[in-house]
Amino acid sequence: MPELPEVETIRRGLCGFCLQQKIKRIEVRSDKSFIGPKEILIGQRIDDIRRFGKALVFDLTGNVSMMIHLRMTGQLIYRPNNKKSDSFAGGHPTDSFFAELPDKQTRVIFELEKGTLFFNDQRKFGFVKVIPTEEVEEDSFIKSLAPEPWDMDSEDFYERLMRHKNSCIKAVILDQKIICGLGNIYADEALFDAKIHPARLAGTVTKKEADRLLDGAKKVMEASINSGGSTMATYVKADGTKGDYLRLFAKVFRREGEPCERCGTEIEKIRVAGRGTHICPACQKRSAK
DNA sequence: CTAGGATCCTGTCAGC
DNA sequence: TGCTGACAGGATCCTA
């Protein structure tokens, strides 16, 4: 569920809390959520946290890394040993951010020197995977990722769309092998920004529209990253305040029934590519413009 | 090769 | 209250 901006926000946040800490102990509470030998991570120090699309890679000493993918419902929550210090939570927003941990959804616990990192994941689609550091780029998931919008020029993007002429444009931009970083929220927001109906076949998208869409994708994800809190990652102070960042940010996502801020038409929720999809039916016509 | 749908798993919510 | 089905901020696998 976390998309590129959330994962980037988590990366930055966790860097501030976990770098240079040793992993003292790992408790795996769900075998499905942890792939590989956990023993070789014990005693290693966290040197760096990298991001590949929506996946995080923790590089440890000893030439070993661990990839963490949150998929739909994963969360990473850091709690300091000193309860007066700030904690950090990011990922699928639930009350676990503020709860006593571990809780029912805790799948892996990383005990560090100064605190504890909890990997929570309601649906168990996410995972932690141990990989030798020099093989990270060869991992089949990471290897298959397309460039992010900032690293793709508009001609390249248009050509990629035209390779999937008969798929809905929304399905195409959700495919991480075609363009990397968008998920269900930012796909809807980018299509709204570019005034393109999500159910249109990619082959009907003009070059000019593709340019707008690529710009829109950059714009909505940048805005989210720059908002600091992003849409769901959030710093949790000792007094724990909750904020709905998504509502501040999203123009269409989960706004069905509300007026479009561009034209006042009621936002609708439809189904495209098997996913809940939010559009302004007036701004996003089914034909090219 | 592409395109579509089912699937992994758990929880919540609307409707009866 | 209790049941049922739909749905969920992702990605893969299977089928045609």
Side-chain angles (χ1 to χ4, degrees):
Chain A
M1 73 173 274
E3 306 177 32
L4 186 152
E6 286 74 34
V7 177
E8 177 60 18
T9 302
I10 294 169
R11 189 191 71 78
R12 293 179 187 182
L14 286 183
C15 276
F17 288 89
C18 301
L19 288 190
Q20 298 314 314
Q21 287 202 57
K22 248 183 212 167
I23 298 178
K24 289 166 65 183
R25 198 178 74 89
I26 297 175
E27 181 182 332
V28 176
R29 307 187 134 210
S30 159
D31 288 336
K32 185 179 193 295
S33 305
F34 197 100
I35 303 159
K38 68 175 187 185
E39 296 75 23
I40 65 173
L41 306 181
I42 307 300
Q44 305 298 346
R45 205 176 289 283
I46 302 172
D47 258 350
D48 195 12
I49 306 175
R50 292 182 284 167
R51 182 182 60 74
F52 296 85
K54 301 174 191 171
L56 288 173
V57 173
F58 291 62
D59 291 317
L60 311 181
T61 51
N63 302 311
V64 67
S65 295
M66 58 179 190
M67 171 164 66
I68 301 185
H69 200 308
L70 302 173
R71 292 278 182 99
M72 298 274 272
T73 55
Q75 341 176 273
L76 285 168
I77 304 170
Y78 178 83
R79 295 282 168 82
N81 293 336
N82 178 349
K83 300 226 182 323
K84 291 190 177 149
S85 307
D86 287 346
S87 58
F88 176 87
H92 189 223
T94 73
D95 287 342
S96 290
F97 281 5
F98 313 98
E100 186 79 19
L101 293 178
D103 66 11
K104 212 171 153 186
Q105 321 209 93
T106 301
R107 309 306 180 195
V108 184
I109 302 170
F110 299 93
E111 198 179 302
L112 308 181
E113 293 166 291
K114 298 177 191 165
T116 305
L117 181 64
F118 297 90
F119 172 58
N120 272 27
D121 184 16
Q122 177 184 116
R123 295 173 73 178
K124 298 188 184 175
F125 292 163
F127 57 87
V128 179
K129 184 179 178 186
V130 180
I131 310 174
T133 302
E134 64 270 23
E135 293 174 21
V136 167
E137 274 95 343
E138 299 308 308
D139 177 85
S140 61
F141 172 75
I142 289 175
K143 206 175 172 179
S144 71
L145 292 173
E148 295 176 4
W150 302 278
D151 300 322
M152 192 180 287
D153 65 51
S154 59
E155 284 69 30
D156 184 16
F157 181 55
Y158 182 67
E159 281 168 25
R160 286 166 181 270
L161 298 189
M162 291 311 124
R163 253 176 258 153
H164 303 272
K165 285 180 185 300
N166 297 314
S167 287
C168 296
I169 184 65
K170 175 164 175 178
V172 174
I173 63 170
L174 280 174
D175 188 335
Q176 306 298 298
K177 298 175 174 65
I178 298 171
I179 184 167
C180 182
L182 296 164
N184 208 33
I185 297 176
Y186 299 103
D188 282 2
E189 295 297 326
L191 287 163
F192 171 77
D193 192 78
K195 301 183 179 176
I196 298 170
H197 194 288
R200 279 178 48 200
L201 296 187
T204 70
V205 172
T206 64
K207 176 66 170 62
K208 200 174 164 188
E209 286 177 321
D211 290 353
R212 287 208 306 261
L213 184 54
L214 185 61
D215 284 343
K218 291 180 207 168
K219 188 169 117 187
V220 297
M221 292 203 289
E222 262 166 19
S224 175
I225 294 172
N226 292 338
S227 78
S230 181
T231 57
M232 58 173 141
T234 178
Y235 284 93
V236 184
K237 299 290 183 188
D239 67 354
T241 15
K242 299 186 197 181
D244 192 345
Y245 292 100
L246 182 57
R247 290 206 59 77
L248 295 176
F249 166 85
K251 308 264 191 270
V252 287
F253 195 82
R254 288 189 194 148
R255 285 192 182 277
E256 58 271 30
E258 299 178 32
C260 166
E261 75 168 39
R262 276 198 300 244
C263 74
T265 305
E266 219 174 83
I267 305 295
E268 287 177 4
K269 183 170 181 183
I270 59 176
R271 205 148 183 92
V272 177
R275 311 293 300 271
T277 299
H278 310 75
I279 58 163
C280 168
C283 292
Q284 294 165 274
K285 298 289 191 198
R286 282 180 175 272
S287 54
K289 200 176 104 187

